Amino acid sequence: MNVTDAPQVRIDRAPFARFVQDYRRRQDALSLIRQLIQMIKGVQRHRGMSMALLGGNRQFEPDFERLQQTLERRLLALQAFTLGTDLLSERERENLHTAWLTISRDWHDDSVIDNYELHCHLVEQLLAMLVSLSRPLEAPLSAPSDHSDADAPTRVQMLELLHFSTRMLPGVVEQIGRIRALSSYAAAVGHCDSHHDGKLRYVIQNTQVNNEKLRHQIRRLEQVLGPEFGQLGELKRYELKLMFLLNMVEGDVLGGGPITADSNRLFQVATDIIDVYLQVVENGIVLLNQWLEQDLERWMQTGAPVRSETS
């Protein structure tokens, strides 16, 4: 048999092209979600520091200047990463740029309440982008294979972790971030006026309600994911620290009299909680990305047939 008599392989390239396009879109979306999480973390910290500074606490100045420069770079990197893609629209990129300029330029001249609301608006934009990016990830990457894989994550596992990492836990973190900003400012000033008192009480109430939902969801995730997502134990341990923070704010900041609580202490306790919670979010995204890589390997082995025929 000469070379021309050998079986010829006929490949239908269309399924491969569709799969690779979908895979790359998901990979880019997960990468952008991780960038947005870091941006949210930075903007929340920027809000807390700037409000404490406006309240008269100058100890944050060196860290604040470095943070502002880092956020500038993060925003530019995010803009470059999404340029020419459909991950973010041109309008979304412009809105982010405008919102950042509004809170970062001449912030010393802002009223405290304007500073707070403008930061909250930017964080809400970023949280909405997380939700938008997560929605396409809810659909299966490829059609179910005839070859079952006992080690493959189920659709329920994927959906539960995606919802937890891009919606529920980031939302709870934002409530804690608002408590950090408002309480750090009040402690820096030395009193809490009726306007900030109302805002603090409202966000504490929301945090308590959402924390109860979070507790139930953690138990569910432990059942659904098992040991594969062991970081959930960190959240249960830090719930005690969250309760300590809420009690401290209610007792020392909302007591009605002069505030003797340390602004730096309030900021740091809240920051420790936020950093752990956001690390769990980051770990959730890492696990989702690992599952994506596993799905890629499974699909390469069983997803698209390559047919041979004799010419």
Side-chain angles (χ1 to χ4, degrees), residues 188-219:
V189 173
H191 69 274
C192 189
D193 60 38
S194 60
H195 185 74
H196 289 89
D197 184 285
K199 283 189 173 294
L200 252 178
R201 292 184 187 277
Y202 177 74
V203 74
I204 287 173
Q205 183 181 26
N206 283 342
T207 302
Q208 291 169 335
V209 171
N210 289 327
N211 184 64
E212 184 64 25
K213 295 178 181 177
L214 182 64
R215 187 184 300 119
H216 289 294
Q217 187 61 21
I218 289 171
R219 287 200 292 265

Short mmCIF file of all heavy atoms in Angstrom, two decimals, residues 188-219:
data_model
loop_
_atom_site.label_atom_id
_atom_site.label_comp_id
_atom_site.label_asym_id
_atom_site.label_seq_id
_atom_site.Cartn_x
_atom_site.Cartn_y
_atom_site.Cartn_z
N ALA A 188 -13.58 58.89 63.49
CA ALA A 188 -12.58 59.93 63.24
C ALA A 188 -13.11 61.30 63.65
O ALA A 188 -12.37 62.12 64.21
CB ALA A 188 -12.19 59.93 61.77
N VAL A 189 -14.40 61.55 63.40
CA VAL A 189 -15.01 62.83 63.77
C VAL A 189 -15.25 62.91 65.28
O VAL A 189 -15.14 63.97 65.89
CB VAL A 189 -16.34 63.02 62.99
CG1 VAL A 189 -17.08 64.26 63.48
CG2 VAL A 189 -16.06 63.13 61.50
N GLY A 190 -15.60 61.77 65.86
CA GLY A 190 -15.86 61.74 67.30
C GLY A 190 -17.33 61.74 67.65
O GLY A 190 -17.69 61.70 68.83
N HIS A 191 -18.20 61.77 66.67
CA HIS A 191 -19.64 61.67 66.91
C HIS A 191 -20.33 61.18 65.64
O HIS A 191 -19.74 61.23 64.55
CB HIS A 191 -20.24 63.02 67.34
CG HIS A 191 -20.26 64.04 66.25
ND1 HIS A 191 -19.17 64.86 65.98
CD2 HIS A 191 -21.21 64.37 65.33
CE1 HIS A 191 -19.45 65.65 64.96
NE2 HIS A 191 -20.68 65.37 64.55
N CYS A 192 -21.57 60.71 65.79
CA CYS A 192 -22.32 60.19 64.65
C CYS A 192 -23.64 60.95 64.55
O CYS A 192 -24.52 60.81 65.41
CB CYS A 192 -22.59 58.69 64.83
SG CYS A 192 -23.29 57.87 63.38
N ASP A 193 -23.74 61.80 63.52
CA ASP A 193 -24.96 62.59 63.38
C ASP A 193 -26.13 61.69 62.95
O ASP A 193 -25.95 60.51 62.62
CB ASP A 193 -24.76 63.75 62.38
CG ASP A 193 -24.37 63.28 60.99
OD1 ASP A 193 -24.90 62.25 60.53
OD2 ASP A 193 -23.53 63.94 60.34
N SER A 194 -27.33 62.25 62.96
CA SER A 194 -28.53 61.45 62.70
C SER A 194 -28.52 60.84 61.30
O SER A 194 -29.00 59.72 61.10
CB SER A 194 -29.78 62.31 62.89
OG SER A 194 -29.77 63.42 62.01
N HIS A 195 -27.97 61.57 60.33
CA HIS A 195 -27.96 61.06 58.95
C HIS A 195 -27.08 59.81 58.85
O HIS A 195 -27.51 58.78 58.31
CB HIS A 195 -27.45 62.15 58.01
CG HIS A 195 -27.51 61.76 56.57
ND1 HIS A 195 -28.70 61.71 55.87
CD2 HIS A 195 -26.55 61.38 55.70
CE1 HIS A 195 -28.46 61.33 54.62
NE2 HIS A 195 -27.17 61.13 54.49
N HIS A 196 -25.85 59.88 59.37
CA HIS A 196 -24.95 58.74 59.30
C HIS A 196 -25.41 57.63 60.24
O HIS A 196 -25.20 56.44 59.96
CB HIS A 196 -23.52 59.18 59.63
CG HIS A 196 -22.89 60.01 58.57
ND1 HIS A 196 -22.99 61.38 58.53
CD2 HIS A 196 -22.16 59.66 57.48
CE1 HIS A 196 -22.36 61.85 57.48
NE2 HIS A 196 -21.83 60.82 56.82
N ASP A 197 -26.04 58.01 61.35
CA ASP A 197 -26.60 57.01 62.25
C ASP A 197 -27.64 56.16 61.54
O ASP A 197 -27.63 54.91 61.64
CB ASP A 197 -27.22 57.72 63.46
CG ASP A 197 -27.75 56.74 64.50
OD1 ASP A 197 -28.82 56.12 64.25
OD2 ASP A 197 -27.11 56.58 65.56
N GLY A 198 -28.52 56.80 60.79
CA GLY A 198 -29.55 56.07 60.06
C GLY A 198 -28.96 55.15 59.00
O GLY A 198 -29.42 54.02 58.83
N LYS A 199 -27.96 55.65 58.30
CA LYS A 199 -27.33 54.83 57.27
C LYS A 199 -26.63 53.62 57.88
O LYS A 199 -26.71 52.50 57.35
CB LYS A 199 -26.32 55.67 56.46
CG LYS A 199 -26.97 56.59 55.44
CD LYS A 199 -25.94 57.22 54.54
CE LYS A 199 -26.62 58.00 53.41
NZ LYS A 199 -27.35 57.10 52.48
N LEU A 200 -25.96 53.83 59.00
CA LEU A 200 -25.25 52.73 59.64
C LEU A 200 -26.21 51.67 60.16
O LEU A 200 -26.00 50.47 59.99
CB LEU A 200 -24.40 53.26 60.79
CG LEU A 200 -22.89 53.29 60.58
CD1 LEU A 200 -22.19 53.90 61.78
CD2 LEU A 200 -22.34 51.90 60.28
N ARG A 201 -27.28 52.11 60.80
CA ARG A 201 -28.26 51.15 61.32
C ARG A 201 -28.88 50.34 60.18
O ARG A 201 -29.12 49.13 60.32
CB ARG A 201 -29.34 51.88 62.12
CG ARG A 201 -28.85 52.49 63.41
CD ARG A 201 -29.97 53.12 64.23
NE ARG A 201 -29.44 53.83 65.37
CZ ARG A 201 -29.11 53.26 66.53
NH1 ARG A 201 -29.27 51.95 66.67
NH2 ARG A 201 -28.63 53.98 67.55
N TYR A 202 -29.14 51.00 59.07
CA TYR A 202 -29.76 50.31 57.93
C TYR A 202 -28.82 49.26 57.36
O TYR A 202 -29.22 48.12 57.08
CB TYR A 202 -30.13 51.34 56.86
CG TYR A 202 -30.70 50.73 55.60
CD1 TYR A 202 -32.00 50.21 55.58
CD2 TYR A 202 -29.94 50.67 54.43
CE1 TYR A 202 -32.53 49.64 54.43
CE2 TYR A 202 -30.46 50.10 53.28
CZ TYR A 202 -31.75 49.59 53.28
OH TYR A 202 -32.26 49.03 52.15
N VAL A 203 -27.54 49.61 57.19
CA VAL A 203 -26.60 48.67 56.57
C VAL A 203 -26.27 47.53 57.54
O VAL A 203 -26.04 46.38 57.13
CB VAL A 203 -25.33 49.40 56.09
CG1 VAL A 203 -24.41 49.79 57.23
CG2 VAL A 203 -24.57 48.56 55.08
N ILE A 204 -26.27 47.80 58.84
CA ILE A 204 -26.06 46.74 59.83
C ILE A 204 -27.22 45.75 59.78
O ILE A 204 -27.03 44.52 59.81
CB ILE A 204 -25.90 47.33 61.25
CG1 ILE A 204 -24.54 48.00 61.38
CG2 ILE A 204 -26.05 46.24 62.31
CD1 ILE A 204 -24.35 48.76 62.68
N GLN A 205 -28.44 46.28 59.68
CA GLN A 205 -29.60 45.40 59.59
C GLN A 205 -29.53 44.52 58.34
O GLN A 205 -29.80 43.32 58.40
CB GLN A 205 -30.88 46.24 59.57
CG GLN A 205 -32.16 45.42 59.54
CD GLN A 205 -33.40 46.29 59.49
OE1 GLN A 205 -33.37 47.43 59.03
NE2 GLN A 205 -34.53 45.76 59.97
N ASN A 206 -29.16 45.12 57.21
CA ASN A 206 -29.02 44.34 55.98
C ASN A 206 -27.93 43.27 56.12
O ASN A 206 -28.08 42.15 55.63
CB ASN A 206 -28.68 45.27 54.81
CG ASN A 206 -29.88 46.03 54.31
OD1 ASN A 206 -31.02 45.67 54.58
ND2 ASN A 206 -29.64 47.11 53.58
N THR A 207 -26.84 43.63 56.78
CA THR A 207 -25.75 42.68 56.96
C THR A 207 -26.20 41.50 57.80
O THR A 207 -25.86 40.34 57.50
CB THR A 207 -24.54 43.37 57.62
OG1 THR A 207 -24.14 44.48 56.82
CG2 THR A 207 -23.38 42.41 57.77
N GLN A 208 -26.95 41.76 58.85
CA GLN A 208 -27.44 40.68 59.70
C GLN A 208 -28.37 39.74 58.94
O GLN A 208 -28.27 38.51 59.06
CB GLN A 208 -28.15 41.27 60.92
CG GLN A 208 -27.21 41.98 61.89
CD GLN A 208 -27.94 42.79 62.94
OE1 GLN A 208 -29.07 43.23 62.73
NE2 GLN A 208 -27.30 43.02 64.08
N VAL A 209 -29.26 40.32 58.13
CA VAL A 209 -30.17 39.50 57.33
C VAL A 209 -29.40 38.67 56.31
O VAL A 209 -29.62 37.45 56.16
CB VAL A 209 -31.22 40.39 56.63
CG1 VAL A 209 -32.03 39.57 55.61
CG2 VAL A 209 -32.15 41.04 57.65
N ASN A 210 -28.48 39.32 55.60
CA ASN A 210 -27.73 38.62 54.56
C ASN A 210 -26.76 37.60 55.15
O ASN A 210 -26.46 36.58 54.52
CB ASN A 210 -26.97 39.62 53.69
CG ASN A 210 -27.90 40.43 52.80
OD1 ASN A 210 -28.92 39.92 52.35
ND2 ASN A 210 -27.56 41.68 52.56
N ASN A 211 -26.27 37.87 56.35
CA ASN A 211 -25.37 36.91 56.99
C ASN A 211 -26.12 35.63 57.33
O ASN A 211 -25.55 34.52 57.26
CB ASN A 211 -24.76 37.51 58.25
CG ASN A 211 -23.77 36.59 58.90
OD1 ASN A 211 -22.72 36.27 58.32
ND2 ASN A 211 -24.07 36.13 60.10
N GLU A 212 -27.38 35.75 57.71
CA GLU A 212 -28.18 34.56 57.98
C GLU A 212 -28.36 33.74 56.70
O GLU A 212 -28.26 32.51 56.71
CB GLU A 212 -29.55 34.97 58.54
CG GLU A 212 -30.43 33.81 58.94
CD GLU A 212 -29.87 33.00 60.09
OE1 GLU A 212 -29.09 33.55 60.88
OE2 GLU A 212 -30.21 31.79 60.18
N LYS A 213 -28.62 34.42 55.58
CA LYS A 213 -28.73 33.72 54.30
C LYS A 213 -27.40 33.07 53.93
O LYS A 213 -27.36 31.96 53.41
CB LYS A 213 -29.15 34.71 53.21
CG LYS A 213 -30.54 35.29 53.39
CD LYS A 213 -30.85 36.30 52.29
CE LYS A 213 -32.23 36.92 52.48
NZ LYS A 213 -32.53 37.96 51.47
N LEU A 214 -26.32 33.79 54.21
CA LEU A 214 -24.98 33.28 53.91
C LEU A 214 -24.70 32.01 54.71
O LEU A 214 -24.13 31.04 54.19
CB LEU A 214 -23.93 34.35 54.22
CG LEU A 214 -22.47 33.99 53.92
CD1 LEU A 214 -22.26 33.79 52.42
CD2 LEU A 214 -21.55 35.10 54.43
N ARG A 215 -25.10 31.99 55.97
CA ARG A 215 -24.88 30.83 56.82
C ARG A 215 -25.57 29.59 56.23
O ARG A 215 -24.98 28.51 56.17
CB ARG A 215 -25.41 31.11 58.23
CG ARG A 215 -25.06 30.01 59.23
CD ARG A 215 -25.67 30.28 60.59
NE ARG A 215 -25.20 31.53 61.14
CZ ARG A 215 -25.98 32.56 61.45
NH1 ARG A 215 -27.29 32.48 61.23
NH2 ARG A 215 -25.48 33.66 61.98
N HIS A 216 -26.81 29.76 55.77
CA HIS A 216 -27.54 28.64 55.16
C HIS A 216 -26.87 28.19 53.86
O HIS A 216 -26.78 26.99 53.58
CB HIS A 216 -28.99 29.03 54.89
CG HIS A 216 -29.82 29.18 56.13
ND1 HIS A 216 -30.12 28.11 56.97
CD2 HIS A 216 -30.41 30.26 56.70
CE1 HIS A 216 -30.85 28.53 57.98
NE2 HIS A 216 -31.04 29.83 57.85
N GLN A 217 -26.39 29.17 53.08
CA GLN A 217 -25.77 28.82 51.80
C GLN A 217 -24.44 28.10 52.01
O GLN A 217 -24.09 27.21 51.23
CB GLN A 217 -25.56 30.08 50.96
CG GLN A 217 -25.08 29.82 49.55
CD GLN A 217 -26.04 28.99 48.72
OE1 GLN A 217 -27.23 28.92 49.03
NE2 GLN A 217 -25.55 28.36 47.67
N ILE A 218 -23.71 28.48 53.04
CA ILE A 218 -22.46 27.80 53.34
C ILE A 218 -22.72 26.33 53.67
O ILE A 218 -22.02 25.43 53.19
CB ILE A 218 -21.72 28.49 54.50
CG1 ILE A 218 -21.17 29.84 54.04
CG2 ILE A 218 -20.58 27.62 55.03
CD1 ILE A 218 -20.61 30.69 55.17
N ARG A 219 -23.75 26.07 54.48
CA ARG A 219 -24.10 24.69 54.80
C ARG A 219 -24.47 23.91 53.55
O ARG A 219 -24.11 22.74 53.39
CB ARG A 219 -25.24 24.65 55.82
CG ARG A 219 -24.82 25.05 57.23
CD ARG A 219 -25.81 24.54 58.27
NE ARG A 219 -27.10 25.22 58.15
CZ ARG A 219 -27.45 26.27 58.88
NH1 ARG A 219 -26.58 26.80 59.74
NH2 ARG A 219 -28.63 26.82 58.74
#
